[in-house]
Amino acid sequence: MIGNDIVDLAKADRESNIFRLRFLEKICSQEEIKLILSNQNSTHLYWRIWSMKESAYKAFQRKCKFETAFNPFAFSCQLYDSQNGRVCFKNESVSVQTIHTDEFIYSEIKDNVHKNCFFGSTSDFMDHLKDKLKLNSIPEFQKTKEGLPFVNLSSQILEVSKTHHGNFQAFQY
Amino acid sequence: MTTEAIQERLKPIVKPYVNNQENFNNLTSESNFIEDLEINSANLVDIVLDVEDEFDIRIENDDMEKMINVEATVNVIQKKLANK
C-alpha cells in the first residue's frame, strides 16, 4: 500500500492551535488525546498522529476506492517507538514510519513495493526518475480521475503518493 | 437561514485556508475544499471549529465526515440551526 503525509511545523503552528477547545476531540480518540497531552511536546505528537492517520487515509482510499470524507477519527494510531507505529481502519491495519526534524514531520506507509521517497518539487522528482530509471525523456506526472497520482513510464505505470504542506513536498513511489 | 445566507457567512471562514484564489472567487455550492480550493486537509478541523463558533452549533463526527465541499457544509449547518 502507498500513502504519505508531510507537515510543515512552522506553518502548522501559525494556522492551528491544538489546545483550542474541542480541537483534539475532532481528530483523535481518547487514548490518543491522553498520549498527546502527557507528552513533553504535545503539538509535535499531535502532528505525528495526524500525519499517520492521513497517510493511512490515502492508502486505504486507494485500496478501497471510498469517496472523499473527513473522518480522521475512523483511523486509530498505536505508537511503538519514536518512529514506528500502526494505524487501524475498520478490520485492517498498516505500519507507518515517521521522520521527525525541527522543521517537518513526515509519515509514510511501510510497504515492500513502494520503498522509495523523494523530497522536492514535482519537476525535480521527474528529473530524478529520468536519471534513476535511465529514461529517454522526462516522464509526466498525472492523476487518475479519482485524483490519485501516478507517473506514466510508457513501459509501466508507477504509483505515486504525493504530499505538500507549506515549504515541504515529498513523494513515495 | 437561507442557503445563500449561510454560504455568504461560510466564505470568510474558509478564506484564510484557501490556496486557489481563482476558484475561491468563483465559488459555487459544488466547490470542493480540497480539490478546488486546495485547502490542506490539516486545516479542515480549523474550518469545522470556526463554523461551530460562527453559527453557535456543535458538529458530531457523522456530520463532520461530509464537510468536504460547500454544499454539504451548508446542509450540515442548516440542519443544526433547524434543530436548535
Side-chain angles (χ1 to χ4, degrees), chain A residues 1-4 95 97 99 106-119 125 128-129 132 158-161 170-173:
Chain A
M1 291 171 76
I2 183 167
N4 65 349
S95 290
Q97 189 161 37
I99 302 170
Y106 174 71
S107 289
E108 187 176 283
I109 303 288
K110 281 208 241 175
D111 186 275
N112 291 330
V113 181
H114 308 98
K115 287 179 190 163
N116 303 297
C117 173
F118 181 86
F119 289 86
F125 178 47
H128 169 77
L129 284 182
K132 187 179 170 187
L158 185 70
E159 279 191 312
V160 176
S161 180
F171 300 85
Q172 182 187 4
Y173 66 103

Side-chain angles (χ1 to χ4, degrees), chain A residues 10-27:
Chain A
K11 182 178 167 72
D13 266 350
R14 277 197 306 276
E15 295 182 351
S16 302
N17 171 14
I18 70 152
F19 298 107
R20 183 177 176 184
L21 211 57
R22 302 187 306 281
F23 184 104
L24 290 174
E25 285 84 350
K26 299 268 184 234
I27 308 286

Side-chain angles (χ1 to χ4, degrees), chain A residues 15-17 20-23 25-27 47 50 54 68-73 164-165, chain B residues 17 40-46 48-50 52-53 58-59 61-62 64-65 67-68:
Chain A
E15 295 182 351
S16 302
N17 171 14
R20 183 177 176 184
L21 211 57
R22 302 187 306 281
F23 184 104
E25 285 84 350
K26 299 268 184 234
I27 308 286
W47 289 114
W50 165 262
E54 189 69 4
T68 310
F70 180 42
N71 58 347
F73 40 81
H164 173 238
H165 189 229
Chain B
Y17 309 108
N40 194 282
S41 54
N43 293 125
L44 290 180
V45 62
D46 299 305
V48 172
L49 291 169
D50 291 346
E52 287 190 340
D53 289 347
R58 292 290 172 267
I59 297 163
N61 289 352
D62 295 358
M64 184 173 95
E65 209 173 275
M67 293 174 62
I68 49 148

